[in-house]
Amino acid sequence: MSPEPLPPVAPEVLAEAVGQLTARLRKKLDAAVAECAGKALAGSGGSVEVRFGEDTLVILRPGPSGAVTEPGQAVCSCLLAPRCLHRAAVLGAAPLADADTVPPADPAAPEPSEGTPPPVTAPVTASSVPVTTEEARPSPTPAQVDAAAGLWLAAAEALAAGVTAGGTVVQAELLRAAHSARLAGLPRAEAAALRVVRGLRTARERHRGQRLSDLTAAFRTLLAGAAALASGAAGAEVGTARRAYAEGGSLRVLGLCREPVLSATGYGGVTTHLLGPDGSLYTLSDVRPGGVSRAKGAGTASVALGGAVLDHAGLARGGLLIAGATVSADGRLGAGRGVRATPVRGADWSQEPVAAFFARPVREAVASSLDAAASAPGDVGPALLGCDVEVLGAADDHLLARVLDGGPLVRLRVAHPHPELAHAENLRRIGGFPGVVLRVLGRPDPDRAATLRPLAVGPVPGASSSLRLPEEWRGHADLGYDRLQGDHFPRPEAGAAPGAPGPAGADPLADAPLWRVRRLLETGVAGGRRAVAEAARGADRTALGVPLRRAGLAGAAELAEGLAAEADRRPRDSFGRLVDASPDAYARAWLASAVHLDAAERALVTASWS
């Protein structure tokens, strides 16, 4: 029989199972979890079985949701059950289930038909829909403060342990604290904790797509949110358990482009980006299980909104007049029962109000996009950016282009590198026509200097050396779905030789010695507190601060040195014996340096667009 994948397990079920183990069994847990790999088999009635030796059998019986959400749904045949190593190991080897969600506030406005998938690789575009201001948020309740304090302590312990020591026991303590946060009404804090646990698992399993920088950012978000809530300060972000949709009345939106959506957990689909008459950005998504095949097919799937007869391809080049619209704070359109949508004629990118979106100064648009993304929760990414560029040519793994009318030199990088999507092929095709001018719609990369990840391109109005797209494409090509051909580009002039793209220009982010701080922070995430202490001892500590001060980054130097000193602090008890230092002060030093680094890098990225 072929192995069967383990069903998802609710975080609180795993936390309870690990909490019931003795100290001796906890030391053996990670080895037992690794032993479960490939041993799951399908049982009767939809159950999944994992056998240990000849006499011990663990059976998981998922509920109607397909996940193990109750302790009684996981049983073991050994004499120590349910306080046994076998049961905890199988639960620890299973993927984590998504947090349950509460019903929406308005029963007449249910969730959109696309469901609630896990975080996707394509960040959701933020819109200009007003959100609750910090002054209007109430202070956290005493129960929420206590839950946040517990979550801070668990996160600090996980940070001090790092990936190398952040096994199932450490993860279970973080899951227990996350569940307490959920019960206290802190869904955003719970979601941040689950991202950290999933990141720890991915890093320990050494998945090919794992990035240490992502786990570092997840720790920063979790610790910053927990610290704010534990302080009891007014304005601390509590979040909502489910995306809230507010009444938007009548709304007319015009299509901008389609974007394929892929997640690391097998979800796929499409997001269509829309523009309101006042310049606000909206999105309409269709994301379901299915991976890349689902993402490719969803580009022409029907739009599930108020009886509209358009598909996503038609909506990206058309528009909708929506009556009774429901809109979330991040610009997602809801599909409530009272929503009615009528297709209307779209607008070419050269027509208003779309043309005004591309006329905004680049630096101003980038600064606004990155600042909004930095203050947004979860995986909300930078807002879309539109500009006109001249392609200079290919350089390494990207294209060099210059924003027209004296703008900065920018790098165009693939938005979605999956080989079955059209992004990479289209970007290579564009690189073969240096000198072509394009109107580009994309998302600025918050981690790279002057880098844009294009989602769609179109001709620049009035330019002779620009794209010549089919009439049915309505003036733009969606790079994830449409495929550019040679006849879509202007013919090169006779005798003209393609020129070299020239130097890439200064990269303030790469030239700054801030990489030393990032390396120190990521060392802590990977190896824990001891790794930071070892990396910054002796001559290395001087090498850490001197280059930063020479570059005028005295604040970064002071915080990094403080982190190194705290990591190396070894307190002793009254008898002179070494004792483990509390992770609280270390976590605060790490967080201070991480927040400072994030702000400094964001400022340098914004400056690179000048």
Side-chain angles (χ1 to χ4, degrees):
M1 298 177 63
S2 59
E4 184 80 5
L6 290 168
V9 172
E12 60 270 22
V13 175
L14 172 59
E16 181 185 13
V18 176
Q20 293 177 334
L21 297 179
T22 64
R24 181 179 64 86
L25 292 179
R26 288 188 178 196
K27 295 178 180 179
K28 301 179 179 181
L29 182 56
D30 287 333
V33 169
E35 187 182 345
C36 296
K39 295 177 63 174
L41 298 175
S44 60
S47 64
V48 178
E49 301 177 351
V50 178
R51 184 171 293 279
F52 291 83
E54 297 181 358
D55 303 325
T56 303
L57 182 67
V58 177
I59 302 176
L60 302 183
R61 296 187 176 91
S65 64
V68 176
T69 57
E70 300 290 340
Q73 294 172 345
V75 297
C76 180
S77 63
C78 78
L79 296 178
L80 292 178
R83 298 176 175 85
C84 66
L85 180 64
H86 313 105
R87 178 174 176 269
V90 174
L91 292 173
L96 288 178
D98 293 327
D100 294 336
T101 55
V102 298
D106 181 7
E111 280 287 281
S113 60
E114 68 267 17
T116 309
V120 296
T121 56
V124 179
T125 302
S127 76
S128 58
V129 177
V131 296
T132 306
T133 61
E134 183 171 315
E135 291 76 8
R137 297 180 189 138
S139 301
T141 65
Q144 290 174 332
V145 171
D146 290 343
L151 187 58
W152 164 270
L153 181 59
E157 294 279 4
L159 178 67
V163 171
T164 54
T168 308
V169 174
V170 172
Q171 295 169 24
E173 291 302 319
L174 195 50
L175 292 176
R176 186 189 305 278
H179 183 58
S180 299
R182 174 186 171 191
L183 296 178
L186 299 175
R188 183 164 295 170
E190 181 205 17
L194 293 182
R195 280 195 295 272
V196 169
V197 173
R198 289 190 174 104
L200 286 171
R201 287 187 166 196
T202 302
R204 288 177 63 84
E205 293 166 3
R206 299 183 180 180
H207 283 190
R208 186 173 57 182
Q210 182 266 340
R211 294 201 314 167
L212 193 57
S213 59
D214 293 339
L215 182 54
T216 302
F219 263 113
R220 184 188 69 239
T221 302
L222 172 60
L223 288 168
L229 289 166
S231 69
E237 188 60 61
V238 172
T240 56
R242 195 170 187 174
R243 181 175 287 105
Y245 287 81
E247 294 293 336
S250 296
L251 181 65
R252 183 187 180 99
V253 292
L254 301 174
L256 287 176
C257 73
R258 295 168 292 167
E259 177 183 10
V261 174
L262 286 175
S263 82
T265 52
Y267 282 76
V270 63
T271 291
T272 297
H273 298 277
L274 307 161
L275 186 71
D278 59 349
S280 298
L281 291 169
Y282 301 90
T283 58
L284 187 61
S285 300
D286 181 2
V287 182
R288 300 175 187 175
V292 68
S293 60
R294 176 75 175 81
K296 293 168 64 178
T300 53
S302 298
V303 173
L305 181 67
V309 295
L310 285 175
D311 58 19
H312 280 272
L315 179 57
R317 294 180 167 91
L320 287 175
L321 180 60
I322 307 174
T326 57
V327 187
S328 71
D330 60 3
R332 289 195 181 188
L333 297 177
R337 298 190 191 96
V339 177
R340 296 292 179 269
T342 304
V344 297
R345 181 178 176 82
D348 189 276
W349 281 7
S350 61
Q351 300 172 338
E352 298 296 343
V354 184
F357 180 79
F358 289 92
R360 188 179 182 186
V362 172
R363 177 179 170 81
E364 174 187 326
V366 169
S368 175
S369 175
L370 296 182
D371 288 345
S375 59
D379 296 323
V380 175
L384 296 185
L385 167 71
C387 60
D388 297 340
V389 303
E390 178 187 1
V391 176
L392 304 180
D396 298 328
D397 59 346
H398 60 273
L399 303 183
L400 287 178
R402 184 173 296 281
V403 178
L404 298 183
D405 299 326
L409 192 70
V410 299
R411 300 160 181 83
L412 304 181
R413 293 184 179 271
V414 176
H416 297 279
H418 198 287
E420 294 190 41
L421 299 177
H423 288 281
E425 180 184 340
N426 281 329
L427 213 60
R428 283 195 298 269
R429 178 79 67 173
I430 293 172
F433 292 86
V436 66
V437 293
L438 305 172
R439 177 156 284 183
V440 181
L441 179 68
R443 191 177 285 111
D445 191 328
D447 300 322
R448 297 176 182 269
T451 298
L452 185 66
R453 297 189 180 273
L455 303 178
V457 295
V460 176
S464 58
S465 58
S466 194
L467 293 176
R468 302 169 182 174
L469 301 179
E471 184 177 351
E472 60 269 20
W473 286 11
R474 293 301 305 272
H476 74 267
D478 297 332
L479 295 181
Y481 293 102
D482 303 320
R483 295 189 181 271
L484 296 172
Q485 305 297 330
D487 56 357
H488 295 154
F489 293 87
R491 295 180 179 178
E493 299 180 3
D507 186 342
L509 193 59
D511 295 341
L514 287 172
W515 62 267
R516 299 175 184 272
V517 182
R518 175 167 292 281
R519 185 174 65 179
L520 186 67
L521 294 172
E522 293 181 352
T523 297
V525 171
R529 178 177 189 153
R530 291 183 179 180
V532 173
E534 290 292 338
R537 278 186 183 146
D540 288 341
R541 186 172 299 182
T542 303
L544 175 65
V546 171
L548 291 168
R549 288 189 171 85
R550 286 176 179 170
L553 300 169
E558 182 177 350
L559 291 171
E561 290 173 343
L563 170 61
E566 180 58 39
D568 201 24
R569 187 170 63 87
R570 308 179 72 187
R572 297 178 180 269
D573 62 13
S574 56
F575 296 99
R577 295 172 300 192
L578 289 173
V579 295
D580 291 335
S582 168
D584 182 78
Y586 170 74
R588 293 187 184 279
W590 187 95
L591 178 60
S593 190
V595 170
H596 183 277
L597 174 67
D598 181 62
E601 289 184 334
R602 188 167 66 252
L604 290 175
V605 169
T606 303
S608 70
W609 286 86
S610 298

